[in-house]
Amino acid sequence: MNECYYDKRMDFFYNNTNAHTVDEWTGTQLIVVLCFGTFFCLFIFISNSLVIAAVVKNKRFHFPFYYLLANLAAADFFAGIAYVFLMFNTGPVSKTLTVNRWFLRQGLLDTSLTASLVNLLVIAVERHMSIMRMKIHSNLTKKRVTFLIMSIWAIAIFMGAVPTLGWNCLCDITACSSLAPIYSRSYLVFWSVLNLVVFFIMVVVYIRIYMYVQRKTNVLSSHTSGSISRRRTPVKLMKTVMTLLGAFVVCWTPGLVVLLLDGLNCTYCGIQNVKRWFLLLALLNSVMNPIIYSYKDDEMWSTMKRMICCSSEDKSQDRRSSRIPSTVLCRSTDTSGHYIEDGIIQGTICGKGHLGEKGSS
């Protein structure tokens, strides 16, 4: 029967796997790391909070797509919390941690990754079902969206807790990995392969949606008298969503590949030399997402800007917007995700699109 080492500190496992920790993280180097980490984390907290507040505040965002987008921002906010905890429990501190504290450190990171990944997958399925079934709006009600969001976090928490629940090497130290000294190599292989497969599935789904939207847009462009900007609206939104997915894949794939190599016990891959850089790259994903939201969606940016400036004219501006001619309103709503299908399926003029909005609200 194998001996278990639940009462050992992490230095025992680091020494067992010959894993390297940066004991020289002191003085200037430590200050620089903490300063950059603090700046990025503060930006993550503030920017993603603005995205969530914008979805709550602006009634034009009260649709399933934007609720899921807000939940993605919540996942990035949670990632900021995970990085703060990591920042003060890494380097020379790593070897002094208890097993439970180290599990908590890694579990927070795994939970944030899973929450973002599953959320993107749900967005992909929601967009695919809406567009491929030729529906103007998603069939998802607020109750269903709430259930989906709760399910996303339940899955994320469970996946983050799997090693703590037993899939670890505390009772079989010969199976320990080097990057994660109390994780089994078999778990790292499972974890990295699962995420990479989901990446591939989402890329395929979004490429299929993008090709469908572009094909429909090109067909309708020769039969409608709509403006060029209206014809480009479906493609523009899909570019926004695909940019989010692309940033996620680019930022997380290198780290997952490194984990896979570690799980396969590749001793000649030099993974210890690159792990911190790939972790920083993963951190940048939570920084990039709110920038993508605001850059790609004019309505999102204007809402966030009004909140930043704390304008006292919000209420009067909302009252004035209700008296703007329907053509202007239709133009502004073209940037919103829930109007993709309206432009693709019906190819209607601006006034009819506005009536569709009223009917759906």
Side-chain angles (χ1 to χ4, degrees), residues 171-189:
C171 297
D172 184 13
I173 61 174
T174 60
C176 292
S177 66
S178 61
L179 289 180
I182 55 177
Y183 278 10
S184 297
R185 288 194 297 271
S186 59
Y187 173 75
L188 290 188
V189 172

Side-chain angles (χ1 to χ4, degrees), residues 45-55 300 303-304 307-308:
F45 293 144
I46 295 172
S47 58
N48 285 287
S49 296
L50 284 173
V51 172
I52 297 171
V55 174
M300 177 71 73
T303 304
M304 293 171 64
M307 290 189 296
I308 294 174

Side-chain angles (χ1 to χ4, degrees), residues 15 27 40 57 65 99 131 149-150 169 183 188 193 220 226 229 251 260 266 290 292 303 340 342:
N15 294 332
F40 283 134
K57 181 180 179 63
F65 174 81
V99 167
I131 294 177
I149 291 175
M150 292 176 63
C169 62
Y183 278 10
L188 290 188
V193 170
L220 288 173
S229 62
C251 290
L260 177 60
C266 180
I292 295 172
T303 304
I340 287 184
D342 190 29

Side-chain angles (χ1 to χ4, degrees), residues 10-256:
M10 287 307 300
D11 58 345
F12 171 82
F13 298 98
Y14 278 108
N15 294 332
N16 174 69
T17 58
N18 294 320
H20 302 289
T21 57
V22 187
D23 294 323
E24 63 274 13
W25 272 16
T26 56
T28 304
Q29 188 176 15
L30 179 61
I31 294 175
V32 170
V33 170
L34 291 177
C35 287
F36 273 99
T38 302
F39 172 78
F40 283 134
C41 289
L42 285 175
F43 182 84
I44 289 172
F45 293 144
I46 295 172
S47 58
N48 285 287
S49 296
L50 284 173
V51 172
I52 297 171
V55 174
V56 173
K57 181 180 179 63
N58 195 330
K59 293 183 178 180
R60 300 184 187 213
F61 296 148
H62 291 185
F63 288 86
F65 174 81
Y66 283 99
Y67 292 146
L68 294 172
L69 205 64
N71 192 50
L72 184 61
D76 287 327
F77 187 96
F78 184 85
I81 297 175
Y83 292 128
V84 169
F85 190 83
L86 173 66
M87 195 163 50
F88 292 99
N89 291 276
T90 190
V93 181
S94 298
K95 289 187 176 183
T96 65
L97 298 177
T98 62
V99 167
N100 290 334
R101 192 171 182 84
W102 196 94
F103 271 136
L104 176 61
R105 188 188 82 173
Q106 298 304 122
L108 291 174
L109 293 173
D110 294 346
T111 299
S112 65
L113 168 60
T114 305
S116 297
L117 182 62
V118 177
N119 203 92
L120 282 171
L121 182 60
V122 171
I123 291 176
V125 173
E126 188 272 341
R127 288 291 87 194
H128 188 274
M129 292 175 61
S130 298
I131 294 177
M132 296 302 173
R133 292 183 179 180
M134 307 291 285
K135 293 184 179 296
I136 297 176
H137 297 295
S138 171
N139 286 333
L140 293 176
T141 62
K142 288 186 177 180
K143 289 184 178 179
R144 290 179 178 177
V145 174
T146 302
F147 174 77
L148 283 175
I149 291 175
M150 292 176 63
S151 299
I152 288 170
W153 284 103
I155 294 172
I157 294 172
F158 173 76
M159 292 301 297
V162 166
T164 310
L165 297 175
W167 200 344
N168 54 60
C169 62
L170 293 178
C171 297
D172 184 13
I173 61 174
T174 60
C176 292
S177 66
S178 61
L179 289 180
I182 55 177
Y183 278 10
S184 297
R185 288 194 297 271
S186 59
Y187 173 75
L188 290 188
V189 172
F190 162 79
W191 170 257
S192 54
V193 170
L194 176 64
N195 285 282
L196 291 173
V197 169
V198 175
F199 284 0
F200 177 77
I201 292 174
M202 287 194 297
V203 169
V204 171
V205 169
Y206 277 117
I207 290 177
R208 176 177 167 81
I209 295 174
Y210 179 80
M211 293 176 64
Y212 179 85
V213 170
Q214 193 170 44
R215 184 171 65 251
K216 286 293 183 180
T217 303
N218 292 336
V219 171
L220 288 173
S221 62
S222 59
H223 300 286
T224 61
S225 56
S227 65
I228 294 177
S229 62
R230 180 172 181 80
R231 296 171 189 172
R232 291 177 178 173
T233 297
V235 177
K236 182 178 180 180
L237 181 70
M238 291 317 303
K239 285 182 177 179
T240 301
V241 180
M242 292 181 70
T243 301
L244 289 172
L245 176 61
F248 187 81
V249 171
V250 169
C251 290
W252 281 99
T253 298
L256 291 173

